[in-house]
Amino acid sequence: MGIHIGDTAPDFTADTSAGKISFHDWIGDDWVFFFSHPGDFTPVCTTEIGRTAQLADEFAKRHVKPLGLSTDGVEEHLSWIEDVNDTQHTTVKFPIVADSDSSIARLYEMIHANESATAAVRSVFIIDPNKKIRLTMTYPMNVGRNFDEILRVIDALQTGDANKIATPADWLPGGTVIIPPSIKDAEAKTLFPQGWTELRPYLRTTKI
């Protein structure tokens, strides 16, 4: 049926490199960066797991929990993490799901047959505290993810939720935002007392 933005993230129970988790319980009141990779002891994945660990403070200040997944087992994960820590000069503390039977990868449609019949592609799911999927991205196996973009889109989602705004192309925190057309001028005067610039009736920009 497909997993779409706005859907409730499918729940699961799994062994991970940091112990067994029940996904929805583990999320708690936080956001989640749930991402898959094709396999342990592979070069691109090693840099991605390392980069996630290096950004631990950035994820934490946004109340985001990273959760990795590959179709390998716990023992492979634990051994590989030692390589990641050594080669990427970091310490991996977040859990990596062991999905040896590919059941979770298939549940989340991370297996793309024309890439591999068994290994997960580089899927990204940003999930909010209500367990709703807010963003999906999929990268091919040979292309590493852009972590600046992952943090940027989390900032955009959280800023939008907090301020009832939308964000324009290439938005960065502190930049100009958009007042959605669904908010009429009368309501906008209350929500945005600082005022706005009207480029078109449907395109109003402001600063927050």
Side-chain angles (χ1 to χ4, degrees):
M1 294 295 291
I3 293 179
H4 302 127
I5 291 172
D7 289 351
T8 298
D11 198 10
F12 58 84
T13 300
D15 292 322
T16 79
S17 57
K20 195 166 191 174
I21 66 167
S22 177
F23 187 42
H24 281 193
D25 290 341
W26 180 81
I27 292 172
D29 296 323
D30 292 306
W31 291 66
V32 174
F33 162 46
F34 184 30
F35 65 110
S36 60
H37 53 271
D40 297 357
F41 300 102
T42 55
V44 177
C45 303
T46 297
T47 65
E48 291 189 320
I49 294 294
R51 189 63 182 137
T52 303
Q54 292 165 0
L55 292 169
D57 290 344
E58 292 298 320
F59 285 114
K61 76 182 185 182
R62 293 166 171 81
H63 302 284
V64 175
K65 293 177 176 176
L67 180 67
L69 176 145
S70 85
T71 51
D72 293 300
V74 170
E75 291 199 8
E76 290 94 336
H77 288 350
L78 293 174
S79 181
W80 177 45
I81 285 170
E82 293 180 10
D83 273 8
V84 174
N85 291 342
D86 185 39
T87 63
Q88 306 304 304
H89 311 293
T90 190
T91 301
V92 174
K93 296 180 179 178
F94 64 90
I96 303 173
V97 171
D99 190 30
S100 299
D101 65 359
S102 302
S103 60
I104 299 166
R106 295 189 187 283
L107 179 66
Y108 275 80
E109 298 190 337
M110 296 169 172
I111 304 288
H112 293 198
N114 290 325
E115 283 278 284
S116 170
T118 58
V121 295
R122 300 183 195 285
S123 297
V124 173
F125 298 91
I126 304 299
I127 300 166
D128 70 18
N130 294 317
K131 287 66 176 177
K132 299 294 184 182
I133 293 173
R134 301 295 300 276
L135 174 134
T136 65
M137 290 189 284
T138 304
Y139 292 71
M141 290 184 175
N142 64 335
V143 177
R145 279 164 271 234
N146 184 323
F147 282 80
D148 289 338
E149 170 61 9
I150 288 165
L151 292 175
R152 187 196 77 89
V153 79
I154 291 168
D155 286 336
L157 288 167
Q158 293 182 345
T159 300
D161 286 358
N163 298 279
K164 296 186 177 181
I165 54 85
T167 53
D170 297 329
W171 175 87
L172 291 171
T176 297
V177 300
I178 293 169
I179 301 172
S182 59
I183 297 176
K184 305 307 179 187
D185 284 353
E187 183 183 3
K189 288 177 183 177
T190 300
L191 293 173
F192 309 103
Q194 70 274 25
W196 60 84
T197 299
E198 184 173 301
L199 302 173
R200 292 289 188 276
Y202 64 85
L203 181 53
R204 297 164 296 169
T205 61
T206 189
K207 288 274 195 174
I208 53 173

